[in-house]
Amino acid sequence: MFPTLSDTLGLGTGAALTPGGIRHLLPAKVPDPPPAAVFVRFRPGAEPQAGRAALATRLARVGSFRIDGPATPTDLVNFGQVRDLPQVLGTGLAAVALLTITHLLMTSVQRRRRDFAILRMLGFTSWQVRGTLCWQALTLAGLALVIGVPAGIACGRLCWQVFAYQLGITPVVAVPLAALAVMAAGWLAAAAVIAALPGEAATRNRAARALHRE
């Protein structure tokens, strides 16, 4: 993996050969082409900064050369600057989804006041009403996980393979199962907590008043 030194040598593009490898590929009478860039490997234990300074001193006797240290390819630098974007986007979408579930539960409470009133008259307690809405929220959140997690993994793998192919790197795909399990548990817990607000609103509706309106 080379840093971006020219239009023909970069991340996933170009090749580097030793002088012996170049002479092996060229015909016998063809002179060796001048190298555009030379990669130097220091002996084990050599201090990089001191080694580059000593190399610059030696090369200054024969000409003007620019010596650069190890550099991260520009494409990887740009990718590192936006690698947190999926997490930020996912958090925002999760917040929107929780607000959607809250709105759906509140609408369900208003639309089914008569049903809740009948259940209250039959002996439903306030905790049972809250539990009903909690299970409704968990059902919606569970369906979202069943559909969203496999679809997200498939789309993520495909997008990463396309992006890695454009960079010229190996598209290694790693699915963090432990992190997914923790996020799924947190999602279900958040859905259960969100159901508390509609559940409180449902318990405050008096059964007699709701049936009288009907």
Side-chain angles (χ1 to χ4, degrees):
M1 179 166 47
F2 307 112
T4 304
L5 299 176
S6 64
D7 295 336
T8 58
L9 184 61
L11 182 61
T13 305
L17 298 174
T18 62
I22 295 177
R23 285 192 293 270
H24 178 74
L25 295 177
L26 294 176
K29 297 182 179 180
V30 176
D32 296 344
V38 177
F39 293 91
V40 178
R41 177 180 297 175
F42 294 112
R43 290 192 300 268
E47 204 280 325
Q49 189 67 29
R52 289 196 295 269
L55 180 61
T57 302
R58 296 175 61 181
L59 292 178
R61 304 170 186 172
V62 296
S64 177
F65 296 93
R66 189 184 71 179
I67 299 177
D68 296 324
T72 304
T74 305
D75 292 333
L76 291 184
V77 173
N78 296 335
F79 173 72
Q81 293 176 350
V82 299
R83 63 182 178 182
D84 293 333
L85 181 61
Q87 288 81 357
V88 175
L89 181 60
T91 303
L93 292 177
V96 172
L98 288 176
L99 293 176
T100 302
I101 292 178
T102 304
H103 179 266
L104 179 61
L105 293 177
M106 294 295 293
T107 304
S108 176
V109 169
Q110 294 297 326
R111 189 172 62 250
R112 298 181 178 177
R113 286 181 300 179
R114 180 176 179 274
D115 297 336
F116 282 113
I118 293 176
L119 292 175
R120 293 291 298 275
M121 295 299 295
L122 293 176
F124 251 48
T125 63
S126 299
W127 284 108
Q128 287 175 321
V129 173
R130 294 189 181 97
T132 301
L133 291 172
C134 180
W135 279 111
Q136 183 178 357
L138 290 177
T139 301
L140 294 174
L143 288 175
L145 288 177
V146 171
I147 297 174
V149 172
I153 292 175
C155 293
R157 290 172 64 95
L158 178 61
C159 293
W160 172 246
Q161 288 176 353
V162 172
F163 182 73
Y165 176 78
Q166 293 176 350
L167 290 182
I169 60 179
T170 303
V172 178
V173 179
V175 180
L177 297 179
L180 283 177
V182 172
M183 292 175 62
W187 166 255
L188 294 176
V193 172
I194 286 296
L197 182 60
E200 186 65 24
T203 57
R204 290 183 179 180
N205 292 329
R206 297 186 178 275
R209 182 180 301 175
L211 293 176
H212 177 71
R213 291 177 179 176
E214 294 292 335

